[in-house]
Amino acid sequence: MGMMMLLVTATKVVGVMGALTVAANSFAYRRFYKKNLAPFENPVDESHELLASFPIHKDVDEEGGFFFALATAPAHVEDELHDSWLEFAKDTKPPDDPAGDPPDPPARKGPKKIGFQTTNIEDPRVLSVQGKARKLMKVSMEAMIRGYEKMTEPEEKHNVAAWQNAIHPEERVRFWSDPDTELKLAQGAHQTVFRMGVDWGRIMPIEPVDGINNAVDWEAVKRYRYIIERVLAHGMRVMLTLFHHSMPSWAAEYGGWKEKKTIKYFVDFTRLAVEQYGDLVDYWITINEPHVFAMLTYCAGAWPGGDPNLLETATAAMPRGVFKVVMQVMADAHLEAYDIIHDLSKSTKKVKVGVSHHVSFMRPYGLFDVPLVVFSNWMTRFAFCDDIAHKCDFLGINYYGQEVVSAPGLKNVEDDEYSESGRGVYPDGLYRMLIEFNERYKKYNLPFIITENGVSDSTDIIRRPYIIEHLLAVRAAMDKGVRVQGYCFWTISDNWEWADGYGPKFGLVAVDRHKNLDRHPRPSYYLYAELSKTGKVTRKQRQEVWEELQSAARRGMTRPFCRAINDHGLMFAGGLDVPIDRPFAVRDWRFGHYEVEGLQDPLSSVVRYFREGAMFSSHGRKCKPKVHLDSKLV
């Protein structure tokens, strides 16, 4: 009898705890919905032929003008640079028969899981306890930035997807040896600003323990000055990035951004760059996507230079964890670099210094995913910017799309449109983010620059409406009072996309790696050139590219997709050596048109079913709901 009473009591406690958990998450979702998902009135007057106009002929500083830009980055484009990324890729064992990036990839029985290189290879059938724990923590840490699930089997040693599938992969796109090819394409697209970077490890290949004089490759310094001068010769201003995901090998060996001495080294590097290029540069970006680099390198171990142990991974998000440490060191480095650039710059114009901050629009898939989304946003959305906003002349926003979180990874929503690299296409998210960031930092009167926005799409069918809709989102935010000074599309040519290698195709221009890196402009290149030249988005342009996409979707056409998906609909983090096919989505994701679903987990779906049923009276008449469907629990 006593055992039965104990069982009943335990059942009641579990029931109460469950009810409280559901109630708490329901309350959290209502707040999250109100702040992030509540519908807004479409700001675009779609009855007019002219949908958006940007003041491209006005001065940015004095008259509130606007510029269009194209980008490339050092770790993507510099041939003959044996940096940590190339070494990371070369660890991959070559296949017996390299695919050669074939147009018609061979059939495969199932999607391949690409993840971390592991050292536990003595018995591929067994994962150690430490390995299991570390894998779970890596899943959680990466979910905070990418949301992708890391599923690693010990016998798999791939680091960079499709590395061996490319011809001469170490050449990237030869920007170092042949910058004019990229610059002519940018100039031909009527760009007024060109974003590039200088590679810290290339300029300073030796740790400057005794000062920088003996640590600097002065020929590399001169070469970069020549390249920057070529940008000016093509009629474009320079936006220069100092740190873009490429840590010098010597810094990685002692811990890189985990160690405070890196601040001094970075400031020395910054001082050198300003002394050599300060008279040529208009916009300085100190650090690109700091929290992305911190998480994927030092927390998840998915990028080279970090190699976190189990303790670092497990405690990464704690107040004194590796993520907090790295972010503080990077913030301090920016603050000191900001002063150096302003003090030493030789530019005749007002120098502008900022960062490029990555922003994802994250939303929960199910009721119990709300806490992870809230926590992820707390960790990544504003924390770094709060520390450095008082020393920024602009805040760069890198935005690619939305991520639907289903712990511990990202959920593949079947009727959503995705890029080849697994980002949900959601122009509304850029508008929402600009409004939110502007409200938070209005006391600093910060202007914004879209320093990256783009989509990986080798078919080029998604990319054209993607450009149109995100520009409409930018214009709508400007109409609400957000000072957006420029828009930089990522990227000119298909690039080396970090741990995804040459899989996803981000370029307005295709690169034929079989034929001497020949360039082939896609239709989106000409569309972007027209938009940049006129500064206008028209209804005709929008209708033409949208109808082409919808036609492809209605006909059941497919396109490449570089993410594997498991039986539960979660996307794996690693890219695929050979893409799988995915159909185009039949969905209206245009700016101001996207309808956000409610929560989709089984519990929420059941509740929604009964609630929707209750909306009908006994006479068959539908009752008017008190609130919008999406503002409910589900």
Side-chain angles (χ1 to χ4, degrees):
M1 187 68 180
M3 183 62 70
M4 181 62 70
M5 289 297 296
L6 183 62
L7 181 61
V8 170
T9 301
T11 302
K12 290 181 178 179
V13 170
V14 171
V16 171
M17 292 298 293
L20 289 175
T21 301
V22 171
N25 280 274
S26 300
F27 176 74
Y29 178 68
R30 288 176 184 273
R31 292 189 61 185
F32 181 87
Y33 172 87
K34 183 177 180 181
K35 182 177 180 180
N36 298 281
L37 300 176
F40 56 83
E41 185 177 352
N42 189 345
V44 179
D45 187 344
E46 299 179 351
S47 65
H48 292 175
E49 177 59 27
L50 180 62
L51 299 181
S53 179
F54 297 90
I56 59 174
H57 299 298
K58 293 183 178 181
D59 181 86
V60 171
D61 295 318
E62 303 298 330
E63 302 174 312
F66 188 92
F67 65 81
F68 284 90
L70 278 170
T72 192
H76 288 196
V77 298
E78 292 190 18
D79 50 305
E80 301 176 7
L81 174 60
H82 298 291
D83 62 358
S84 58
W85 279 99
L86 290 191
E87 294 304 316
F88 193 49
K90 287 178 180 177
D91 287 340
T92 304
K93 182 180 178 181
D96 295 332
D97 183 19
D101 201 15
D104 299 311
R108 194 167 56 200
K109 293 182 180 180
K112 192 172 184 178
K113 301 174 184 179
I114 308 298
F116 301 107
Q117 179 181 1
T118 76
T119 57
N120 182 25
I121 60 175
E122 293 182 0
D123 185 355
R125 297 169 298 174
V126 181
L127 275 172
S128 66
V129 174
Q130 177 171 334
K132 288 181 179 178
R134 187 175 178 186
K135 185 179 81 169
L136 290 174
M137 287 307 303
K138 285 178 176 179
V139 169
S140 300
M141 290 308 303
E142 188 155 350
M144 284 194 290
I145 171 61
R146 302 286 189 187
Y148 303 134
E149 183 183 12
K150 285 285 186 183
M151 295 292 288
T152 307
E153 300 299 334
E155 69 271 16
E156 294 186 293
K157 299 173 61 177
H158 296 76
N159 289 318
V160 177
W163 165 256
Q164 297 293 343
N165 295 352
I167 304 301
H168 304 301
E170 70 282 353
E171 292 188 343
R172 309 182 199 188
V173 294
R174 299 179 188 160
F175 186 69
W176 173 258
S177 56
D178 178 26
D180 282 351
T181 295
E182 291 286 273
L183 296 177
K184 287 177 181 177
L185 288 166
Q187 182 186 36
H190 308 290
Q191 304 306 290
T192 54
V193 173
F194 184 82
R195 183 184 173 194
M196 58 170 286
V198 288
D199 190 90
W200 185 2
R202 186 161 212 156
I203 285 181
M204 200 175 288
I206 301 173
E207 182 180 353
V209 290
D210 299 318
I212 67 171
N213 288 335
N214 295 327
V216 171
D217 182 342
W218 294 103
E219 291 302 316
V221 172
K222 292 178 183 178
R223 181 65 183 177
Y224 272 128
R225 184 170 179 90
Y226 167 78
I227 293 173
I228 295 172
E229 287 173 342
R230 294 305 302 156
V231 176
L232 300 177
H234 283 82
M236 295 176 287
R237 289 172 287 160
V238 177
M239 179 181 289
L240 194 69
T241 307
L242 295 174
F243 183 79
H244 199 136
H245 301 336
S246 190
M247 174 66 68
S249 298
W250 49 262
E253 289 177 4
Y254 70 70
W257 289 111
K258 292 191 294 184
E259 303 294 331
K260 289 187 177 181
K261 69 178 181 179
T262 305
I263 298 173
K264 179 184 183 304
Y265 289 160
F266 182 72
V267 169
D268 288 342
F269 168 60
T270 300
R271 183 181 292 106
L272 175 66
V274 178
E275 290 173 348
Q276 297 295 322
Y277 316 128
D279 58 323
L280 307 177
V281 175
D282 282 85
Y283 298 91
W284 294 84
I285 294 174
T286 56
I287 302 173
N288 181 78
E289 299 182 345
H291 75 269
V292 174
F293 185 83
M295 284 192 169
L296 298 186
T297 302
Y298 297 106
C299 303
W303 283 5
D307 194 24
N309 57 39
L310 176 60
L311 181 62
E312 284 182 314
T313 303
T315 61
M318 293 183 179
R320 296 186 180 181
V322 65
F323 178 74
K324 296 287 188 180
V325 168
V326 169
M327 294 303 290
Q328 188 59 59
V329 171
M330 296 178 104
D332 291 342
H334 165 82
L335 295 174
E336 292 197 30
Y338 177 91
D339 290 336
I340 290 294
I341 296 171
H342 275 281
D343 291 344
L344 300 181
S345 179
K346 303 172 185 176
S347 176
T348 57
K349 299 181 180 180
K350 181 182 178 182
V351 65
K352 307 174 191 68
V353 184
V355 296
S356 284
H357 179 60
H358 171 85
V359 179
S360 291
F361 186 88
M362 304 182 75
R363 65 181 177 91
Y365 180 78
L367 180 62
F368 299 104
D369 300 317
V370 177
L372 179 57
V373 172
V374 173
F375 179 68
S376 300
N377 286 338
W378 174 73
M379 288 280 289
T380 65
R381 185 169 290 181
F382 296 121
F384 181 82
C385 296
D386 286 348
D387 289 340
I388 57 108
H390 64 289
K391 284 193 176 182
C392 277
D393 303 312
F394 68 89
L395 183 58
I397 298 293
N398 293 359
Y399 177 85
Y400 288 91
Q402 77 166 335
E403 294 164 338
V404 181
V405 175
S406 179
L410 276 193
K411 189 75 170 181
N412 168 53
V413 181
E414 291 188 1
D415 63 346
D416 265 353
E417 193 66 88
Y418 284 89
S419 70
E420 292 173 349
S421 43
R423 292 289 177 82
V425 179
Y426 183 54
D428 288 12
L430 178 56
Y431 170 76
R432 293 180 188 270
M433 290 297 94
L434 286 171
I435 298 295
E436 190 169 348
F437 271 79
N438 186 64
E439 179 64 23
R440 189 175 187 93
Y441 299 115
K442 63 183 179 182
K443 64 181 179 180
Y444 298 115
N445 196 29
L446 268 181
F448 297 86
I449 296 174
I450 309 303
T451 41
E452 288 183 29
N453 179 239
V455 62
S456 48
D457 171 32
S458 58
T459 69
D460 208 49
I461 295 176
I462 299 172
R463 184 177 290 108
R464 282 169 284 166
Y466 181 99
I467 295 172
I468 293 285
E469 300 307 324
H470 283 82
L471 285 176
L472 292 178
V474 170
R475 181 66 259 185
M478 293 170 68
D479 291 341
K480 291 290 185 179
V482 184
R483 283 203 302 152
V484 184
Q485 295 183 331
Y487 174 89
C488 182
F489 189 79
W490 188 270
T491 181
I492 305 173
S493 300
D494 289 337
N495 57 285
W496 163 270
E497 187 55 27
W498 310 117
D500 283 336
Y502 294 111
K505 312 298 184 187
F506 274 91
L508 296 173
V509 178
V511 178
D512 190 341
R513 303 200 67 84
H514 294 269
K515 295 182 179 179
N516 199 34
L517 303 189
D518 285 353
R519 304 297 205 278
H520 301 282
R522 296 182 168 110
S524 58
Y525 171 83
Y526 299 104
L527 172 63
Y528 191 64
E530 181 180 359
L531 296 169
S532 301
K533 181 180 181 180
T534 65
K536 302 181 188 306
V537 179
T538 67
R539 184 171 60 177
K540 180 181 179 181
Q541 290 170 327
R542 190 189 200 194
Q543 288 176 337
E544 287 179 351
V545 297
W546 183 251
E547 178 53 38
E548 182 176 352
L549 172 60
Q550 292 305 291
S551 175
R554 289 192 296 267
R555 287 181 286 144
M557 291 179 60
T558 61
R559 40 73 172 207
F561 189 67
C562 300
R563 291 279 179 259
I565 303 171
N566 70 8
D567 294 337
H568 302 289
L570 294 179
M571 289 185 283
F572 298 130
L576 295 171
D577 283 333
V578 178
I580 59 177
D581 291 328
R582 181 186 181 93
F584 292 96
V586 182
R587 181 179 192 141
D588 193 348
W589 50 259
R590 291 174 298 169
F591 175 64
H593 287 249
Y594 188 99
E595 295 184 8
V596 179
E597 299 96 338
L599 298 171
Q600 298 296 303
D601 61 293
L603 173 62
S604 301
S605 298
V606 169
V607 173
R608 178 168 53 241
Y609 174 80
F610 285 106
R611 282 189 170 176
E612 290 179 349
M615 291 165 60
F616 292 86
S617 70
S618 59
H619 299 287
R621 292 180 300 174
K622 188 174 182 179
C623 301
K624 183 179 180 180
K626 295 181 179 180
V627 291
H628 189 276
L629 177 62
D630 286 325
S631 67
K632 299 178 182 178
L633 165 65
V634 293

